[in-house]
C-alpha cells in the first residue's frame, strides 16, 4: 500500500513560519509530481504548490507566491513546504499528493493522498 505521511503542522502566530514534510513509502515517488493542497473548514480543497519529479519546476497558487517554498529530497523520498509570513487565512488541513502524470494544480490529477496535517495560524 502506497503511503504519504505528512508532518510539521501545528499552531503558530501570524507572521510565523512552519515547515511541512511529506514522506513517501515507495521510492517510485521520486519520479512523481508532488503537490500540496489545503482545505479550510467548510471549503473546497485548494491547490497550494507543486513540484515536478526532478525539482526543476515548481508551481504556486497566487496565495502562496512569495511566502511558501516547495522542495523535495528524492534521496529521502520527502517533499517539503516551507511556509513563511503565515496569515490566519492560511489555517487549514494541508494535504500532500502525488501522481506520475500530474501537471500541477488540479486535485483530480493526483491519485495518491496523505491524511493531512492541521495548520492553525492565530491572529
Amino acid at each position: 500500500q502506497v503511503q504519504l505521511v505528512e508532518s510539521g503542522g501545528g499552531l503558530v502566530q501570524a507572521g510565523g513560519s512552519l515547515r511541512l514534510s511529506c514522506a513517501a513509502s515507495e521510492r517510485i515517488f521520486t519520479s512523481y509530481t508532488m503537490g500540496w493542497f489545503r482545505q479550510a473548514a467548510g471549503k473546497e480543497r485548494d491547490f497550494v504548490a507543486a513540484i515536478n519529479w526532478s525539482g526543476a519546476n515548481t508551481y504556486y497558487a497566487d496565495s502562496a507566491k512569495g511566502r511558501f517554498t516547495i522542495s523535495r529530497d528524492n534521496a529521502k523520498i520527502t517533499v517539503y513546504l516551507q511556509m513563511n509570513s503565515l496569515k490566519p487565512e492560511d489555517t487549514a488541513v494541508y494535504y500532500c499528493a502525488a501522481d506520475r502524470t500530474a501537471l500541477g494544480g488540479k486535485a483530480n490529477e493526483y491519485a495518491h493522498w496523505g491524511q493531512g496535517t492541521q495548520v492553525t495560524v492565530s491572529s
Side-chain angles (χ1 to χ4, degrees), residues 93-113:
V93 177
Y94 282 70
Y95 295 92
C96 174
D99 196 88
R100 184 176 60 84
T101 61
L103 297 177
K106 295 182 180 180
N108 61 10
E109 292 181 330
Y110 292 82
H112 306 283
W113 291 85

Side-chain angles (χ1 to χ4, degrees), residues 66 76 86-87 112:
K76 296 181 179 180
L86 282 161
K87 305 174 182 179
H112 306 283

Side-chain angles (χ1 to χ4, degrees), residues 54-85:
S54 69
N57 297 312
T58 56
Y59 313 90
Y60 295 94
D62 287 343
S63 59
K65 289 178 181 177
R67 299 189 300 127
F68 295 1
T69 302
I70 189 171
S71 62
R72 67 191 297 161
D73 184 339
N74 284 342
K76 296 181 179 180
I77 328 175
T78 301
V79 63
Y80 304 97
L81 184 68
Q82 176 68 43
M83 304 187 295
N84 299 327
S85 302

Side-chain angles (χ1 to χ4, degrees), residues 37-58:
F37 291 77
R38 67 187 184 186
Q39 188 166 17
K43 296 187 177 181
E44 294 184 350
R45 190 168 297 188
D46 292 331
F47 169 70
V48 177
I51 188 167
N52 79 322
W53 70 272
S54 69
N57 297 312
T58 56

